[in-house]
């Protein structure tokens, strides 16, 4: 152990001076302030300065109270905060790491000298010379208060840190940062005059926050190194020294930062002359053994304690939260908390080769009743190590935002994978898409990996309910990643930054991270008809959050904090209902997960399973109208789990907890609000059904988004049942049969081929009339040409004995009736115009006939089938909504989307703004993202041209752009 300098030892042997009388101390303080203020603010009004001082220093506590915070000499202690349940009658836990249970007060004389040296070097190198006040005195903080400027940017001294975490009052929370800094400086100055540096350092080291719920140096030594502080080495002391300033950079949470800080502290000690170069380098090269896994696992099981501490720091600040002896009234339901904890531990044990029927006892020794609701593992999963070493679960009250139960590391940021899907689809629904909208679940490139099943055209309802990955990727493209992240942030996921340019990549890859608590909170808004309840943040309802701390009492029983709650609407009740209806659709998710899976709980409940691409995390999040349960299982090191899927990891815990949490509640669902309609549609197109549609389903829509055109995917064809080819006029009638084929959209054709979907034949029947002569022939239009309007008919009608020729047409490939085109032709025609056919009013498949009558009455004929399309395509501009107002730069692009219907195919869609064409789209989805341009009113319209050349125009609508 390196020896301390002789001077330092000498100083430590000095006794603290006896405190001067209170009146004298006050006069000294006022005198010092007056002189300092006069020096700093020479020329300013002394009256204004005095008023500023008096207001900032009002009700300032006395530093003489410090000894009472820790107890009499020889009996000192630091009492951690105590956490009680929501009734205030059940003590749940003391706010201290379990590995620090044997902590004890460490007198400075009993600690290694290097612990004090390292702390001073890391936090306050001039501690023993400046007596604990800021290097520039209190003039800087006072000037900041007087001018209204921010407090000086300087590190707090050790004495300031001590008085801030010991003597802060609830009223300080209402003061400005500059005023708080000034008051702390005043108290530090008084404390430095009343107590010796050794006394101040001893108090500080025994009460500071060293991270990982280790309060005091002895607790820190036990948590990180498994020893008491009086046995610390130089290298260990250097690692602990900087933690009070940066508790999260501890060797459990951030080993790299802790190691770097350790080296910096050793170098600082060398610069101060307290270590030789050899001593500093030797300690820097020493390997420090940390109880990382053990410390982490011990806290993993106490997620509610970690959450309570984070909330205390957030709500009370670093001062009040560190005061000893606090009484914390939480929102936790004792029974639900106990059952949640034992259910989580039981499932973890079963996934780690444990007895598949064993149940972990509850923490209070009672029976784990809720574990009896856990679905049993499949035989293939029993006695198998699935590589799962941690799990977290949270239960929220959707009507208040209260955390009713919490187990495990629920605040850990982890990739959400498909747990983000509801936010993607919700964004799409807000932009005008519906649960009935068809989307293609198939890769855009070459075939899908063998392990990934694809489903081709499917409704968004089924894609969301079953987490179809390729379909969701397409929906993400339609919705826009920036819009999705805005939706998530709006719904309470405050860690999501909508302005982060990496959002698209992280969302599409499933790497976007969030904590279990905030993900569950986002789902709570869906459960509660779009209304988010919670504790108010610094910006009011815009920063609502779920909460665990109801109120905090100080050591004297006075109220330090009471949660201020509120609510705000984050999504309309009709949009929330769409999501509730889809996520609670057991029949829909049964297609992928089976009926009676762990996702079904016997009452209406929405649920989403979160799978990540790496296989390191598995989520289950779901809700009833009054409760949300979120569960995540995974690994501390991020390694892939073995054999964990959507139904055997987090889902069983979710089912057991939601069933237990709602056991005394009525099995309520969600009633449709105003603005919701139900329409029968054809699956999977989502369009209105025709007689050919084999699967008609009832779908839900926001009023105004219902489909307006009929399904075109199921189409009838006349087939020669012997040859399997398309029947023609010459196919014997007794061989013709009508067959219905599923004709997918062009973008789904690769999937259809891969899936073996039978497609309509493209070849026509081989039955044909006797070979005709070139003297009776129709050459234009060509067989099966697409025609419209007035059609010029060309060919030849001639030969020996010519009398007349006649043009006729009949409906279908085998007309039962014929209609003549124009008058009979009395003169032969050779490779020229035979006549003009006005097809107006006709639509569909027709057969054109050229008949030549000879003088002897003989007849020769030629036939050409054609498709007539005189119907303009239907086009409806569904996005944006008429009258929408967009503000730049909050909105940088506007999605324009049309619904198009045409029996014979769409050629292209043109989008117009203010009469000027701004884009041409040649394939579905028929949408275009307009980069927001000039401010003002803009008129939008779309024009569609079908394969025959017919043009349809949408309605015009107006939007407003503000800047």
């Amino acid at each position: 152990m390196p020896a301390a300098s002789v001077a330092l030892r000498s100083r430590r042997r000095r006794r603290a001076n006896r405190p001067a009388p209170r009146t004298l101390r006050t006069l000294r303080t006022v005198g010092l302030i007056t002189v300092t203020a006069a020096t700093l603010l020479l020329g300013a009004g002394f009256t204004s300065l005095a008023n500023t001082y008096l207001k900032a220093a009002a009700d300032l506590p006395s530093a003489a109270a410090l000894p009472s915070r820790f107890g009499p000499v020889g009996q000192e202690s630091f009492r951690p905060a105590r956490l009680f349940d929501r009734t205030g009658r059940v003590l749940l836990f003391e706010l201290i790491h379990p590995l620090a249970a044997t902590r004890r007060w460490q007198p400075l004389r009993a600690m290694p000298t290097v612990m004090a040296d390292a702390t001073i070097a890391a936090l306050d190198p001039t501690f023993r010379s400046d007596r604990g006040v800021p290097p520039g005195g209190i003039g800087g903080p006072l000037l900041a208060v007087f001018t209204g400027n921010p407090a000086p940017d300087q590190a707090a001294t050790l004495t300031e840190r001590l008085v801030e975490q010991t003597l802060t009052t609830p009223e300080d929370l209402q003061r400005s940062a500059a005023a708080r800094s000034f008051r702390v400086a005043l108290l530090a100055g008084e404390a430095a005059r009343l107590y010796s540096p050794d006394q101040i350092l001893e108090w500080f080291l025994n009460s500071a926050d060293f991270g990982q719920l280790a309060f005091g140096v002895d607790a820190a030594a036990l948590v990180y190194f498994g020893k008491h502080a009086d046995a610390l080495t130089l290298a260990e002391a250097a690692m602990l020294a900087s933690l009070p300033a940066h508790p999260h950079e501890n060797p459990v949470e951030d080993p790299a930062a802790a190691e770097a800080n350790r080296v910096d502290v050793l170098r600082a000690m060398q610069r101060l002359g307290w270590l030789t170069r050899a001593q500093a380098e030797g300690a820097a090269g020493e390997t420090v053994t940390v109880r990382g896994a053990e410390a982490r696992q011990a806290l993993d099981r106490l997620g509610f304690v970690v959450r309570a501490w984070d909330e205390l720091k957030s709500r009370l600040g670093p001062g009040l939260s560190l005061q000893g002896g606090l009484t914390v009234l939480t929102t936790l339901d004792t029974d639900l908390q106990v059952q949640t904890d034992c259910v989580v531990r039981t499932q973890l044990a079963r996934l780690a080769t444990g007895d598949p029927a064993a149940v972990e006892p509850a923490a209070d020794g009672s029976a784990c009743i809720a574990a009896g609701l856990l679905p049993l593992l499949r035989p293939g999963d029993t006695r198998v190590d699935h590589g799962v070493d941690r799990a977290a679960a949270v239960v929220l009250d959707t009507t208040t935002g209260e955390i009713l139960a919490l187990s495990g590391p629920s605040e850990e940021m982890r990739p959400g994978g498909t747990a983000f899907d509801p936010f993607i689809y919700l964004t799409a629904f807000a932009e005008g898409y519906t649960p009935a909208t068809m989307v293609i679940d198939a890769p855009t490139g070459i075939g899908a990996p063998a392990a990934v099943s694809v489903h081709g055209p499917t409704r968004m309802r089924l894609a969301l309910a079953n987490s179809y990955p390729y379909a969701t990727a397409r929906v993400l493209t339609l919705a826009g990643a920036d819009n999705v992240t805005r939706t998530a942030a709006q719904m309470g996921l405050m860690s999501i930054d909508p302005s982060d340019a990496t959002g698209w990549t992280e969302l599409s890859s499933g790497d976007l991270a969030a904590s279990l608590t905030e993900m569950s909170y986002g789902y709570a808004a869906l459960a509660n008809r779009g209304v988010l309840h919670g504790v108010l943040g610094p910006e009011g309802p815009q920063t609502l959050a779920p909460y665990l701390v109801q109120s905090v009492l100080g050591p004297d029983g006075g109220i330090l904090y009471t949660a201020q709650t509120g609510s705000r609407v984050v999504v309309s009740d009709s949009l929330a209902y769409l999501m509730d209806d889809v996520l609670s659709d057991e029949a829909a998710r049964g297609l992928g997960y089976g009926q009676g899976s762990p996702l079904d709980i016997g009452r209406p409940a929405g649920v989403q399973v979160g799978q990540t691409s790496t296989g390191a995390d598995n989520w289950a999040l779901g809700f009833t109208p009054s409760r949300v349960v979120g569960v995540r299982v995974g690994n501390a090191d991020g390694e892939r789990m073995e054999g964990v899927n959507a139904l055997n990891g987090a889902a069983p815990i979710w089912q057991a907890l939601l069933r237990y949490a709602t056991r005394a509640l009525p099995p309520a669902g969600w009633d449709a609000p105003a603005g919701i309609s139900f329409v029968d549609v054809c699956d999977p197109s989502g369009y209105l059904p025709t007689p050919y549609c084999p699967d008609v389903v009832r779908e839900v829509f926001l009023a105004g988004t219902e489909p307006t055109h009929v399904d075109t995917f199921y189409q009838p064809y006349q087939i020669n049942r012997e040859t399997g080819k398309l029947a023609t006029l010459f196919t014997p009638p007794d061989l013709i049969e009508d067959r219905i084929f599923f004709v997918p959209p062009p973008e789904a054709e690769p999937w259809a081929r891969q899936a073996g979907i039978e497609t309509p034949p493209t070849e026509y029947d081989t039955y044909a009339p006797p070979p005709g002569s070139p003297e009776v022939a129709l050459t234009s239009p060509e067989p099966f040409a697409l025609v419209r309007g007035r059609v010029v008919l060309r060919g030849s009608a001639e030969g020996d004995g010519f009398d007349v020729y006649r043009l006729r047409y009949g409906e279908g490939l085998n007309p039962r009736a014929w209609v003549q085109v124009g008058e009979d032709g009395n003169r032969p025609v050779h490779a020229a115009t035979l006549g003009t056919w006005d097809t107006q009013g006709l639509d569909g498949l027709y057969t054109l006939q050229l008949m030549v009558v000879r003088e002897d009455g003989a007849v020769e004929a030629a036939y050409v089938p054609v498709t007539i399309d005189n119907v303009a395509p239907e086009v409806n501009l569904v996005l944006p909504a008429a009258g929408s107002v967009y503000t730049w730069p909050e909105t940088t692009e506007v999605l324009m989307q049309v619904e198009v219907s045409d029996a014979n195919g769409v050629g292209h869609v043109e989008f117009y703004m203010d009469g000027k064409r701004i884009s041409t789209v040649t394939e579905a989805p028929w949408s275009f993202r307009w980069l927001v341009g000039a401010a003002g009113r803009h008129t939008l319209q779309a024009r569609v041209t079908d394969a025959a050349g017919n043009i349809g125009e949408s309605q015009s609508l107006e939007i407003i752009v503000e800047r």
Side-chain angles (χ1 to χ4, degrees), residues 678-756:
F678 297 89
V679 178
D680 287 342
V681 300
C682 184
D683 183 57
S685 71
Y687 296 151
L688 298 174
T690 68
Y692 313 116
C693 178
D695 191 7
V696 177
V697 296
R698 174 61 59 97
E699 261 298 3
V700 59
F701 298 88
L702 298 181
T705 64
E706 302 90 343
T708 57
H709 49 273
V710 300
D711 175 74
T712 57
F713 292 169
Y714 290 99
Q715 299 179 17
Y717 289 82
Q718 288 188 318
I719 306 295
N720 183 328
R721 64 170 175 268
E722 286 189 347
T723 64
K725 298 180 179 180
L726 293 170
T728 69
L729 176 66
F730 309 105
T731 302
D734 59 334
L735 296 181
I736 297 176
E737 65 179 10
D738 289 330
R739 292 177 58 186
I740 308 301
F741 286 89
F742 178 70
V743 182
E747 61 268 30
E749 289 178 357
W751 161 81
R753 288 192 297 270
Q754 186 179 32

Side-chain angles (χ1 to χ4, degrees), residues 95 171 253 299 365 372 379 392 456 520 613 632 665 673 770 780 797 879 896 932:
L95 198 65
E171 291 74 23
E253 289 181 79
L299 272 195
S520 302
S613 58
R632 183 180 64 81
L665 301 174
S780 179
L879 291 176
M896 299 183 184
V932 172

Side-chain angles (χ1 to χ4, degrees), residues 50-205:
N51 288 336
T52 299
Y53 163 71
L54 291 173
K55 183 177 180 180
D59 301 320
L60 189 70
S62 172
L66 277 171
S68 66
R69 296 289 192 264
F70 302 106
V73 176
Q75 300 178 37
E76 300 97 336
S77 66
F78 177 75
R79 296 176 295 158
R82 296 181 302 161
L83 304 180
F84 288 83
D85 75 343
R86 63 190 298 111
T87 69
R89 294 191 294 269
V90 179
L91 175 62
L92 298 173
F93 202 79
E94 285 192 332
L95 198 65
I96 194 71
H97 196 290
L99 297 183
T102 61
R103 71 197 182 283
R104 61 194 182 210
W105 187 271
Q106 287 283 353
L108 196 63
R109 64 180 179 276
M111 277 185 269
T113 303
V114 292
M115 187 65 240
D117 289 347
T119 302
I120 294 171
L123 303 180
D124 189 2
T126 63
F127 170 64
R128 294 190 177 275
S129 60
D130 63 20
R131 301 187 60 78
V133 297
I138 60 173
L142 178 59
L143 181 61
V145 177
F146 184 73
T147 61
N149 292 324
D153 186 12
Q154 58 191 28
T157 67
L158 277 171
T159 310
E160 287 179 309
R161 293 179 189 276
L162 174 66
V163 298
E164 182 181 17
Q165 70 191 36
T166 308
L167 300 176
T168 299
T169 66
E171 291 74 23
D172 287 329
L173 299 177
Q174 310 304 319
R175 293 184 167 93
S176 68
R180 292 197 300 271
S181 178
F182 172 64
R183 290 168 65 84
V184 167
L186 281 178
L187 287 170
E190 184 183 7
R193 290 188 300 277
L194 292 176
Y195 310 107
S196 70
D198 284 358
Q199 179 65 80
I200 290 172
L201 187 58
E202 180 176 315
W203 282 336
F204 176 77
L205 283 173

